[in-house]
Amino acid sequence: MRKYLLPEKGNFYKANLHCHSQVSDGAYTALELKELYMKEGYSIIAYTDHSLLIPHHKELSDENFLALNGFEWDVGESGKAPGRNKCLHICLIALEEDNFIAPCWNREEIRNLKGNGEKYRDLVKFDESLPDFEKEYTAECINKAIKNARNTGFFVTYNHPVWSQEDYSNYMSYENMNAMEICNYACIAEGWYDYNPKIYDDILRSGKKIYAIAADDNHNFGGNLYDSFGGYTVIKAEKLQYRTITKALEEGNFYASQGPEIRALWYENGKIHIECSDAEYIDFNFGIMHAKRFRAEKNGVINMAECEVPPHSVYVRVTVWDKYGKPADTNAYFVEDLEKE
């Protein structure tokens, strides 16, 4: 029986799930970002300004554009020279459009907000019955924050691990994230190698079932667009409606891209089938010491591939590469789930 890994029906919506505006340290207003991104074919922006979940983006949504509510939460090492301290950044995207109760809030600690943040701090709502959330750069604290965010209705993404100076011992200790940034384009644009398929595979091989997104993390310093439009997530859903889109995120109905399009993806009779825009090659990764690459003929392209899932595979994920060396990555699909009726 054919099992669609991207839904058979629905529309593809291009999304930037990590974006900074003038609410914190971005160069553009939320409205200016909407206009700029819509010109590039985007339908969705998650506004994830540093530390600030505020309710003033709702009026931006219309029949052609959806503003998702969120913020970026961080914690880092102390006592080290600038640039040598590790840190953890996660984006928290509200699953319901009326959820503006910020998790993990600390009344005293949130004082030195980035950019224009001080202007908006008093708009943040939090559960006043809870004690302040005390931040520490420890796995215990970080996992507590993730759990808190998940339990209060947020989609949690793990951001730019390379820029954050984190290594295997750090990211393997984190639990219950929804997704990680397989691509953080702003970091790549600044010279970091924050295209992270190896880190994604490390996490997957441990048995943790998380998704992969690509995002800009754009700040547009000085109004420059160098860190925009380079990494994006393409979501497939029936309609451009807040809860429909966030449910698609929860269910993994999306792929991450820096250029290529993935048009169809399914599993049938032990094989994975993919259809895509013009590609030079298509890679299949199975979480074991076995992989498969399908190449275009010289000066040609390929637009589809079908590959049998080898015995003992842990999962399968597919990467499409275009002639410019740009990838598009599917989520990982665990074999035990593929074989369920």
PDB file of all heavy atoms in Angstrom, residues 267-287:
ATOM      1  N   TYR A 267       6.203   6.025   0.164  1.00  0.00           N
ATOM      2  CA  TYR A 267       6.792   4.700   0.446  1.00  0.00           C
ATOM      3  C   TYR A 267       5.804   3.645  -0.022  1.00  0.00           C
ATOM      4  O   TYR A 267       4.611   3.721   0.284  1.00  0.00           O
ATOM      5  CB  TYR A 267       7.053   4.558   1.940  1.00  0.00           C
ATOM      6  CG  TYR A 267       7.562   3.200   2.383  1.00  0.00           C
ATOM      7  CD1 TYR A 267       8.879   2.823   2.163  1.00  0.00           C
ATOM      8  CD2 TYR A 267       6.711   2.293   3.037  1.00  0.00           C
ATOM      9  CE1 TYR A 267       9.361   1.583   2.572  1.00  0.00           C
ATOM     10  CE2 TYR A 267       7.180   1.053   3.456  1.00  0.00           C
ATOM     11  CZ  TYR A 267       8.502   0.707   3.226  1.00  0.00           C
ATOM     12  OH  TYR A 267       8.964  -0.524   3.637  1.00  0.00           O
ATOM     13  N   GLU A 268       6.311   2.645  -0.766  1.00  0.00           N
ATOM     14  CA  GLU A 268       5.431   1.591  -1.279  1.00  0.00           C
ATOM     15  C   GLU A 268       6.260   0.352  -1.599  1.00  0.00           C
ATOM     16  O   GLU A 268       7.310   0.445  -2.232  1.00  0.00           O
ATOM     17  CB  GLU A 268       4.713   2.086  -2.548  1.00  0.00           C
ATOM     18  CG  GLU A 268       3.656   1.138  -3.068  1.00  0.00           C
ATOM     19  CD  GLU A 268       2.896   1.724  -4.244  1.00  0.00           C
ATOM     20  OE1 GLU A 268       3.448   2.628  -4.941  1.00  0.00           O
ATOM     21  OE2 GLU A 268       1.745   1.316  -4.469  1.00  0.00           O
ATOM     22  N   ASN A 269       5.807  -0.776  -1.118  1.00  0.00           N
ATOM     23  CA  ASN A 269       6.452  -2.064  -1.414  1.00  0.00           C
ATOM     24  C   ASN A 269       7.950  -2.046  -1.092  1.00  0.00           C
ATOM     25  O   ASN A 269       8.782  -2.536  -1.878  1.00  0.00           O
ATOM     26  CB  ASN A 269       6.232  -2.452  -2.878  1.00  0.00           C
ATOM     27  CG  ASN A 269       4.770  -2.645  -3.201  1.00  0.00           C
ATOM     28  OD1 ASN A 269       3.995  -3.102  -2.358  1.00  0.00           O
ATOM     29  ND2 ASN A 269       4.373  -2.301  -4.413  1.00  0.00           N
ATOM     30  N   GLY A 270       8.297  -1.466   0.040  1.00  0.00           N
ATOM     31  CA  GLY A 270       9.688  -1.470   0.471  1.00  0.00           C
ATOM     32  C   GLY A 270      10.574  -0.452  -0.212  1.00  0.00           C
ATOM     33  O   GLY A 270      11.794  -0.472  -0.024  1.00  0.00           O
ATOM     34  N   LYS A 271       9.993   0.467  -0.991  1.00  0.00           N
ATOM     35  CA  LYS A 271      10.778   1.447  -1.733  1.00  0.00           C
ATOM     36  C   LYS A 271      10.323   2.869  -1.417  1.00  0.00           C
ATOM     37  O   LYS A 271       9.140   3.112  -1.174  1.00  0.00           O
ATOM     38  CB  LYS A 271      10.665   1.210  -3.241  1.00  0.00           C
ATOM     39  CG  LYS A 271      11.212  -0.136  -3.707  1.00  0.00           C
ATOM     40  CD  LYS A 271      11.044  -0.299  -5.198  1.00  0.00           C
ATOM     41  CE  LYS A 271      11.596  -1.643  -5.677  1.00  0.00           C
ATOM     42  NZ  LYS A 271      11.416  -1.821  -7.145  1.00  0.00           N
ATOM     43  N   ILE A 272      11.287   3.786  -1.455  1.00  0.00           N
ATOM     44  CA  ILE A 272      10.999   5.212  -1.339  1.00  0.00           C
ATOM     45  C   ILE A 272      11.034   5.831  -2.730  1.00  0.00           C
ATOM     46  O   ILE A 272      11.977   5.608  -3.493  1.00  0.00           O
ATOM     47  CB  ILE A 272      12.026   5.923  -0.445  1.00  0.00           C
ATOM     48  CG1 ILE A 272      11.934   5.419   0.991  1.00  0.00           C
ATOM     49  CG2 ILE A 272      11.843   7.439  -0.495  1.00  0.00           C
ATOM     50  CD1 ILE A 272      10.722   5.905   1.757  1.00  0.00           C
ATOM     51  N   HIS A 273      10.002   6.599  -3.042  1.00  0.00           N
ATOM     52  CA  HIS A 273       9.899   7.256  -4.349  1.00  0.00           C
ATOM     53  C   HIS A 273       9.861   8.760  -4.121  1.00  0.00           C
ATOM     54  O   HIS A 273       9.107   9.254  -3.282  1.00  0.00           O
ATOM     55  CB  HIS A 273       8.629   6.803  -5.068  1.00  0.00           C
ATOM     56  CG  HIS A 273       8.432   7.422  -6.417  1.00  0.00           C
ATOM     57  ND1 HIS A 273       8.792   6.798  -7.592  1.00  0.00           N
ATOM     58  CD2 HIS A 273       7.925   8.630  -6.777  1.00  0.00           C
ATOM     59  CE1 HIS A 273       8.500   7.579  -8.621  1.00  0.00           C
ATOM     60  NE2 HIS A 273       7.981   8.706  -8.147  1.00  0.00           N
ATOM     61  N   ILE A 274      10.670   9.498  -4.890  1.00  0.00           N
ATOM     62  CA  ILE A 274      10.700  10.953  -4.785  1.00  0.00           C
ATOM     63  C   ILE A 274      10.606  11.575  -6.167  1.00  0.00           C
ATOM     64  O   ILE A 274      11.160  11.043  -7.140  1.00  0.00           O
ATOM     65  CB  ILE A 274      11.961  11.442  -4.047  1.00  0.00           C
ATOM     66  CG1 ILE A 274      11.873  12.948  -3.747  1.00  0.00           C
ATOM     67  CG2 ILE A 274      13.239  11.112  -4.821  1.00  0.00           C
ATOM     68  CD1 ILE A 274      12.932  13.448  -2.780  1.00  0.00           C
ATOM     69  N   GLU A 275       9.888  12.690  -6.282  1.00  0.00           N
ATOM     70  CA  GLU A 275       9.815  13.493  -7.494  1.00  0.00           C
ATOM     71  C   GLU A 275      10.212  14.916  -7.125  1.00  0.00           C
ATOM     72  O   GLU A 275       9.828  15.418  -6.060  1.00  0.00           O
ATOM     73  CB  GLU A 275       8.409  13.449  -8.092  1.00  0.00           C
ATOM     74  CG  GLU A 275       8.005  12.044  -8.525  1.00  0.00           C
ATOM     75  CD  GLU A 275       6.581  11.950  -9.055  1.00  0.00           C
ATOM     76  OE1 GLU A 275       5.901  13.012  -9.103  1.00  0.00           O
ATOM     77  OE2 GLU A 275       6.153  10.842  -9.401  1.00  0.00           O
ATOM     78  N   CYS A 276      10.978  15.575  -8.016  1.00  0.00           N
ATOM     79  CA  CYS A 276      11.581  16.848  -7.637  1.00  0.00           C
ATOM     80  C   CYS A 276      11.815  17.729  -8.860  1.00  0.00           C
ATOM     81  O   CYS A 276      11.633  17.308 -10.005  1.00  0.00           O
ATOM     82  CB  CYS A 276      12.900  16.599  -6.914  1.00  0.00           C
ATOM     83  SG  CYS A 276      14.115  15.702  -7.911  1.00  0.00           S
ATOM     84  N   SER A 277      12.236  18.961  -8.609  1.00  0.00           N
ATOM     85  CA  SER A 277      12.689  19.841  -9.679  1.00  0.00           C
ATOM     86  C   SER A 277      14.010  19.317 -10.237  1.00  0.00           C
ATOM     87  O   SER A 277      14.574  18.330  -9.735  1.00  0.00           O
ATOM     88  CB  SER A 277      12.852  21.266  -9.136  1.00  0.00           C
ATOM     89  OG  SER A 277      13.757  21.281  -8.040  1.00  0.00           O
ATOM     90  N   ASP A 278      14.511  19.961 -11.276  1.00  0.00           N
ATOM     91  CA  ASP A 278      15.731  19.492 -11.945  1.00  0.00           C
ATOM     92  C   ASP A 278      16.869  19.316 -10.938  1.00  0.00           C
ATOM     93  O   ASP A 278      17.222  20.242 -10.203  1.00  0.00           O
ATOM     94  CB  ASP A 278      16.163  20.488 -13.019  1.00  0.00           C
ATOM     95  CG  ASP A 278      15.223  20.515 -14.204  1.00  0.00           C
ATOM     96  OD1 ASP A 278      14.309  19.660 -14.260  1.00  0.00           O
ATOM     97  OD2 ASP A 278      15.388  21.397 -15.067  1.00  0.00           O
ATOM     98  N   ALA A 279      17.445  18.119 -10.949  1.00  0.00           N
ATOM     99  CA  ALA A 279      18.513  17.799 -10.006  1.00  0.00           C
ATOM    100  C   ALA A 279      19.687  17.174 -10.727  1.00  0.00           C
ATOM    101  O   ALA A 279      19.537  16.542 -11.773  1.00  0.00           O
ATOM    102  CB  ALA A 279      17.997  16.846  -8.932  1.00  0.00           C
ATOM    103  N   GLU A 280      20.873  17.338 -10.147  1.00  0.00           N
ATOM    104  CA  GLU A 280      22.057  16.649 -10.652  1.00  0.00           C
ATOM    105  C   GLU A 280      22.176  15.266 -10.036  1.00  0.00           C
ATOM    106  O   GLU A 280      22.593  14.328 -10.689  1.00  0.00           O
ATOM    107  CB  GLU A 280      23.314  17.470 -10.367  1.00  0.00           C
ATOM    108  CG  GLU A 280      23.475  18.659 -11.291  1.00  0.00           C
ATOM    109  CD  GLU A 280      24.932  18.994 -11.549  1.00  0.00           C
ATOM    110  OE1 GLU A 280      25.801  18.557 -10.778  1.00  0.00           O
ATOM    111  OE2 GLU A 280      25.187  19.694 -12.550  1.00  0.00           O
ATOM    112  N   TYR A 281      21.830  15.165  -8.765  1.00  0.00           N
ATOM    113  CA  TYR A 281      21.797  13.847  -8.138  1.00  0.00           C
ATOM    114  C   TYR A 281      20.882  13.853  -6.927  1.00  0.00           C
ATOM    115  O   TYR A 281      20.526  14.900  -6.388  1.00  0.00           O
ATOM    116  CB  TYR A 281      23.194  13.326  -7.787  1.00  0.00           C
ATOM    117  CG  TYR A 281      24.138  14.280  -7.117  1.00  0.00           C
ATOM    118  CD1 TYR A 281      24.233  14.352  -5.740  1.00  0.00           C
ATOM    119  CD2 TYR A 281      25.003  15.080  -7.887  1.00  0.00           C
ATOM    120  CE1 TYR A 281      25.127  15.207  -5.124  1.00  0.00           C
ATOM    121  CE2 TYR A 281      25.903  15.938  -7.274  1.00  0.00           C
ATOM    122  CZ  TYR A 281      25.955  16.002  -5.886  1.00  0.00           C
ATOM    123  OH  TYR A 281      26.843  16.844  -5.285  1.00  0.00           O
ATOM    124  N   ILE A 282      20.506  12.654  -6.508  1.00  0.00           N
ATOM    125  CA  ILE A 282      19.589  12.451  -5.391  1.00  0.00           C
ATOM    126  C   ILE A 282      20.196  11.387  -4.484  1.00  0.00           C
ATOM    127  O   ILE A 282      20.534  10.292  -4.945  1.00  0.00           O
ATOM    128  CB  ILE A 282      18.194  12.002  -5.886  1.00  0.00           C
ATOM    129  CG1 ILE A 282      17.593  13.064  -6.818  1.00  0.00           C
ATOM    130  CG2 ILE A 282      17.274  11.731  -4.699  1.00  0.00           C
ATOM    131  CD1 ILE A 282      16.297  12.617  -7.491  1.00  0.00           C
ATOM    132  N   ASP A 283      20.336  11.738  -3.210  1.00  0.00           N
ATOM    133  CA  ASP A 283      20.960  10.840  -2.239  1.00  0.00           C
ATOM    134  C   ASP A 283      19.924  10.251  -1.280  1.00  0.00           C
ATOM    135  O   ASP A 283      19.038  10.971  -0.794  1.00  0.00           O
ATOM    136  CB  ASP A 283      21.991  11.597  -1.396  1.00  0.00           C
ATOM    137  CG  ASP A 283      23.205  12.026  -2.198  1.00  0.00           C
ATOM    138  OD1 ASP A 283      23.459  11.417  -3.255  1.00  0.00           O
ATOM    139  OD2 ASP A 283      23.892  12.966  -1.761  1.00  0.00           O
ATOM    140  N   PHE A 284      20.090   8.960  -0.989  1.00  0.00           N
ATOM    141  CA  PHE A 284      19.265   8.264  -0.002  1.00  0.00           C
ATOM    142  C   PHE A 284      20.167   7.846   1.157  1.00  0.00           C
ATOM    143  O   PHE A 284      21.204   7.204   0.948  1.00  0.00           O
ATOM    144  CB  PHE A 284      18.588   7.040  -0.613  1.00  0.00           C
ATOM    145  CG  PHE A 284      17.513   7.361  -1.609  1.00  0.00           C
ATOM    146  CD1 PHE A 284      17.840   7.767  -2.901  1.00  0.00           C
ATOM    147  CD2 PHE A 284      16.165   7.269  -1.256  1.00  0.00           C
ATOM    148  CE1 PHE A 284      16.850   8.071  -3.830  1.00  0.00           C
ATOM    149  CE2 PHE A 284      15.173   7.569  -2.177  1.00  0.00           C
ATOM    150  CZ  PHE A 284      15.519   7.970  -3.466  1.00  0.00           C
ATOM    151  N   ASN A 285      19.792   8.218   2.354  1.00  0.00           N
ATOM    152  CA  ASN A 285      20.546   7.923   3.575  1.00  0.00           C
ATOM    153  C   ASN A 285      19.670   7.032   4.446  1.00  0.00           C
ATOM    154  O   ASN A 285      18.496   7.340   4.683  1.00  0.00           O
ATOM    155  CB  ASN A 285      20.870   9.241   4.292  1.00  0.00           C
ATOM    156  CG  ASN A 285      21.668   9.075   5.557  1.00  0.00           C
ATOM    157  OD1 ASN A 285      21.433   8.171   6.345  1.00  0.00           O
ATOM    158  ND2 ASN A 285      22.604   9.972   5.777  1.00  0.00           N
ATOM    159  N   PHE A 286      20.240   5.938   4.970  1.00  0.00           N
ATOM    160  CA  PHE A 286      19.451   4.945   5.704  1.00  0.00           C
ATOM    161  C   PHE A 286      19.857   4.785   7.166  1.00  0.00           C
ATOM    162  O   PHE A 286      19.366   3.891   7.851  1.00  0.00           O
ATOM    163  CB  PHE A 286      19.542   3.594   4.997  1.00  0.00           C
ATOM    164  CG  PHE A 286      19.130   3.649   3.554  1.00  0.00           C
ATOM    165  CD1 PHE A 286      20.092   3.651   2.534  1.00  0.00           C
ATOM    166  CD2 PHE A 286      17.798   3.742   3.207  1.00  0.00           C
ATOM    167  CE1 PHE A 286      19.718   3.716   1.207  1.00  0.00           C
ATOM    168  CE2 PHE A 286      17.415   3.803   1.865  1.00  0.00           C
ATOM    169  CZ  PHE A 286      18.374   3.792   0.869  1.00  0.00           C
ATOM    170  N   GLY A 287      20.760   5.614   7.648  1.00  0.00           N
ATOM    171  CA  GLY A 287      21.178   5.509   9.035  1.00  0.00           C
ATOM    172  C   GLY A 287      22.066   4.320   9.324  1.00  0.00           C
ATOM    173  O   GLY A 287      22.270   3.957  10.488  1.00  0.00           O
TER     174      GLY A 287
END
